[in-house]
Amino acid sequence: MAEADFHAGFIAIAGRPNVGKSTLVNALVGHKVSIVTPKPQTTRRRVLGMKTTATAQLIFVDTPGLHTGEGRALNRAMNRSAFAAASEADLCVLVVEALQWEEEDAHALQRLGSLGSPLGLAINKVDKVRPKDRLLPFIEAMQARHDFSFVVPVSAQRRENLAELEKLLTQALPVSPMLFPAEQFTDQDETLRAAEFVREQLILALRQELPYSVAVQIEESVLDGSLLRLSATIWVEREGQKAIVIGGGGGLLKNVGRAARLEMEREFGRKVFLQLWVKVREDWADDERALASLGFEEG
Ligand code: GDP
Ligand code: MG
């Protein structure tokens, strides 16, 4: 491959919460680089996922969902982080959900459209649309809203039309040598990914009971032969939440620990021993200093 034919660059994946941005990044990268749950605001910080092909290096920036509620410090930090990522990227992709156009989508389009970098549109979750021709008027309406670099329907979950999206992304990126080693697929180390896998299982297990006021911090990570020993603290905001997270007889915490450990073993390719602790730190989501100490300082 001649150097002049190789493309590389940063692609910000943006949009309102819950449209499937993280699922799309994981599907394109082929690894779980970003956690996924049915709850909005699962992704809290910028996550990089890379895919290197024969013709390009696609560096995806998964961003927290863009939302209008800026009341809490955590929400503001997430919006800041998402826009910083989008404004530094070579290319942005707005992700929307097929046949769904909401106030927050309009808000996201308005802000991303004004950044000046090329903006493509991925219409996700088309697996939910039947019959498929119901998509056509939606695609036309979207094309009328903005002069997108491309508009492509996909299903991240079913991996439908992702090769087409990959081709469009490759064409839209600048000619550039690789920016990361070809085998690297994320910028997060194992510790950070481990903390995220715990948070994912907590959100899945708790659903309605706990909003997003939970953070996970890895206290200790030791490689003991081929065994990875991890100890993590789950931070909650209230004593009552602590009881919910632990669950009757410690059952909920045990299940969360087991599911997260299995995910780690699958992704890290080694045995994991995981210990979880639950501690209370009041109002951390409202406190900029507490956020910084939990790793939300960027953006
Ligand atoms: P994000 O908040 O935009 O990052 O969205 P997530 O990737 O966390 O996904 C939110 C929810 O939508 C999860 O329950 C996903 O399983 C679901 N989802 C994502 N992509 C698809 C898709 O292509 N089809 C369907 N039916 N569901 C999807
Ligand atoms: Mg996400």
Side-chain angles (χ1 to χ4, degrees):
M1 163 108 329
E3 264 176 36
D5 294 331
F6 196 84
H7 296 248
F10 289 83
I11 305 164
I13 305 294
R16 76 166 156 84
N18 225 33
V19 290
K21 298 178 294 298
S22 298
T23 307
L24 184 60
V25 169
N26 291 341
L28 288 162
V29 168
H31 284 275
K32 186 166 208 164
V33 295
S34 199
I35 63 171
V36 170
T37 82
K39 278 201 77 122
Q41 291 160 22
T42 296
T43 308
R44 283 190 180 156
R45 62 179 105 212
R46 203 163 26 161
V47 169
L48 291 192
M50 302 80 157
K51 166 95 184 261
T52 305
T53 68
T55 53
Q57 183 166 69
L58 313 173
I59 306 159
F60 298 103
V61 191
D62 187 19
T63 66
L66 294 168
H67 45 84
T68 36
E70 288 227 329
R72 307 192 97 188
L74 178 59
N75 286 353
R76 285 196 300 276
M78 291 195 297
N79 270 0
R80 267 204 309 272
S81 164
F83 276 111
S87 55
E88 288 160 15
D90 297 289
L91 169 67
C92 290
V93 177
L94 173 65
V95 182
V96 298
E97 195 175 327
L99 309 191
Q100 307 283 327
W101 180 256
E102 297 175 9
E103 184 65 36
E104 283 188 315
D105 295 303
H107 180 74
L109 172 57
Q110 187 227 322
R111 297 206 48 189
L112 294 171
S114 66
L115 289 175
S117 37
L119 179 62
L121 180 75
I123 301 174
N124 190 31
K125 307 198 188 183
V126 297
D127 55 284
K128 288 165 81 174
V129 179
R130 251 176 235 114
K132 283 279 182 280
D133 58 15
R134 288 177 61 210
L135 268 177
L136 296 176
F138 185 77
I139 292 174
E140 277 169 24
M142 293 306 301
Q143 280 164 334
R145 284 182 204 282
H146 185 84
D147 185 19
F148 290 106
S149 307
F150 58 80
V151 174
V152 61
V154 296
S155 167
Q157 202 171 61
R158 304 257 177 101
R159 296 168 193 261
E160 278 170 27
N161 220 22
L162 296 187
E164 174 66 14
L165 174 56
E166 191 181 293
K167 197 180 89 194
L168 293 164
L169 294 171
T170 297
Q171 288 166 354
L173 282 181
V175 170
S176 158
M178 278 185 211
L179 303 170
F180 290 92
E183 66 282 359
Q184 188 175 349
F185 61 85
T186 182
D187 64 329
Q188 306 169 94
D189 60 17
E190 273 189 5
T191 306
L192 198 52
R193 295 181 76 207
E196 286 289 274
F197 291 150
V198 173
R199 200 163 62 80
E200 176 177 53
Q201 294 305 325
L202 275 171
I203 299 172
L204 290 173
L206 293 163
R207 300 283 174 115
Q208 305 311 322
E209 275 128 311
L210 196 71
Y212 50 64
S213 45
V214 54
V216 179
Q217 204 169 23
I218 302 292
E219 307 288 355
E220 199 180 20
S221 162
V222 185
L223 200 53
D224 179 357
S226 63
L227 179 72
L228 180 64
R229 291 181 181 276
L230 291 169
S231 154
T233 300
I234 297 166
W235 289 102
V236 295
E237 289 189 305
R238 309 263 179 274
E239 281 297 333
Q241 294 173 343
K242 181 172 167 178
I244 292 170
V245 168
I246 293 171
L252 193 141
L253 193 60
K254 210 173 289 170
N255 290 339
V256 162
R258 188 189 319 110
R261 175 176 57 77
L262 291 174
E263 189 83 78
M264 290 171 202
E265 292 183 341
R266 218 175 2 252
E267 279 284 332
F268 303 162
R270 62 164 71 98
K271 284 278 167 207
V272 173
F273 176 77
L274 175 65
Q275 258 184 316
L276 296 176
W277 309 94
V278 186
K279 294 182 189 164
V280 179
R281 173 173 350 193
E282 284 189 9
D283 298 328
W284 68 265
D286 289 323
D287 179 349
E288 303 270 0
R289 286 231 318 277
L291 283 175
S293 75
L294 289 168
F296 293 101
E297 72 280 13
E298 54 175 307

